Every structure is written in C-alpha cells, then in structure tokens.
C-alpha cells in the first residue's frame, strides 16, 4: 500500500453514485496535469482507482469501479477528532524521473492488492482498505479519511452522499 506523507487543504469535494459506478469521490484541484493512477484490487474482489496529483501528491479522485464484498465488521473506525484536510501520498512508487524539474514519472499507473470491503447502509458509505486500526482522521465536507499508524489508508466514510 502506498503511504501518506502529509496533508493538504480541502477546498471542495463532490460525491457521486450510479448503478454502474458505486462511488466516485472527487476533490477539487487547480492542477490540470495528468494525474498518477493507483489501481487497487481487493483480495476477495473489488476494484478501485485512486488518482493522485502528480505535482503535490494530494488525492484527487477515488472511484469504486467494482464494489468489494461487504465485511462482517462494517462498522466505523473508532470515533476521534477529525482534522480538516486530504491525504498527500508518497509518489516514489511511480518512480520519479531524473528530469531537472521532477515533473515526469517513470510509471503513470501502479497497482496493489489490499483487503478491501465496502458497505452502503442508512446513508453512510464505508470503504475499508485494511484491518489496520485507524489512528488519524481527515475530513473534507461529508467525507472522512482514516489513516493507520503507518500512514496507510484504513477507511473512507461518506455520510449521507447526495446521489446514493
């Protein structure tokens, strides 16, 4: 799993859902450069794509292409104070090039396999990335991102998404 290395300010977020794509979360970005792509396959099923800002490493979009299975424990991580912001990822897995401005990456897409689970109940959507305990929570409008102690994603929770 790609680890987070910091946070960025949250300016706006949009949440969408339809019969074909269970969930799309988009965070606004001024950068119009091609994003870096992180494709995640669930060990028990499911497929996600996370778009990462190539310049800053901030998350730009999370798309559930195929819903992972529902976990037996689909409850929220331990409640805690959430800080405003969005995660910034370590971009080294994409292989930063030796260009003087470090503007190009050796790979545009990286892949990983994770313990994904997904539930959508009573206006709350939960996407879990692992069974690691969440120690930090970031919030941007109605989207909460939980991080494990090692900086990896633990869960994403959307409260009352407008399109579900």
């Amino acid at each position: 799993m790609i680890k987070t290395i910091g946070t960025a300010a949250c300016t706006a977020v949009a949440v969408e859902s339809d019969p074909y794509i269970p969930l799309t979360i988009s965070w606004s970005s001024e950068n119009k450069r091609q994003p870096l792509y992180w494709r995640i396959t669930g060990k028990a099923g499911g497929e996600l794509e996370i778009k990462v800002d190539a310049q800053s490493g901030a998350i730009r979009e999370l798309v559930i292409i195929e819903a992972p299975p529902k976990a037996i424990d689909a409850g929220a991580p331990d409640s805690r104070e959430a800080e405003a912001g969005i995660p910034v990822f370590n971009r080294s897995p994409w292989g930063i090039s030796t260009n003087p401005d470090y503007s190009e990456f050796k790979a545009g897409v990286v892949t990983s396999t994770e313990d994904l689970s997904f539930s959508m109940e009573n206006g709350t959507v939960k996407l879990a990335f692992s069974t690691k305990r969440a120690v930090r929570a970031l919030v941007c409008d109605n989207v909460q991102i939980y991080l494990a102690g090692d900086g990896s994603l633990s869960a994403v929770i959307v409260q009352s998404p407008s399109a579900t």
Side-chain angles (χ1 to χ4, degrees), residues 119-126 157-161 164:
S119 67
M120 192 180 297
E121 298 172 350
N122 302 323
T124 299
V125 175
K126 179 186 178 195
I157 296 178
V158 180
Q159 299 293 332
S160 302
T164 58

Side-chain angles (χ1 to χ4, degrees), residues 62-87:
L62 182 151
V63 179
I64 297 178
I65 298 166
E66 179 183 328
K70 182 176 177 179
I72 294 170
D73 176 20
D78 296 337
S79 61
R80 62 193 76 251
E81 278 289 317
E83 59 187 276
I86 58 174

Side-chain angles (χ1 to χ4, degrees), residues 65-161:
I65 298 166
E66 179 183 328
K70 182 176 177 179
I72 294 170
D73 176 20
D78 296 337
S79 61
R80 62 193 76 251
E81 278 289 317
E83 59 187 276
I86 58 174
V88 172
F89 293 99
N90 175 4
R91 291 165 292 147
S92 65
W94 286 273
I96 296 175
S97 75
T98 56
N99 285 358
D101 64 356
Y102 296 96
S103 61
E104 294 181 22
F105 292 82
K106 292 181 181 171
V109 179
V110 295
T111 60
S112 67
T113 302
E114 310 296 340
D115 286 315
L116 300 177
S117 66
F118 177 73
S119 67
M120 192 180 297
E121 298 172 350
N122 302 323
T124 299
V125 175
K126 179 186 178 195
L127 172 64
F129 289 87
S130 73
T131 57
K132 293 179 182 176
R133 187 176 155 273
V135 299
R136 187 174 180 204
L138 301 174
V139 66
C140 182
D141 292 335
N142 63 331
V143 178
Q144 297 174 350
I145 299 173
Y146 290 85
L147 305 174
D150 65 358
S152 63
L153 292 173
S154 176
V156 173
I157 296 178
V158 180
Q159 299 293 332
S160 302

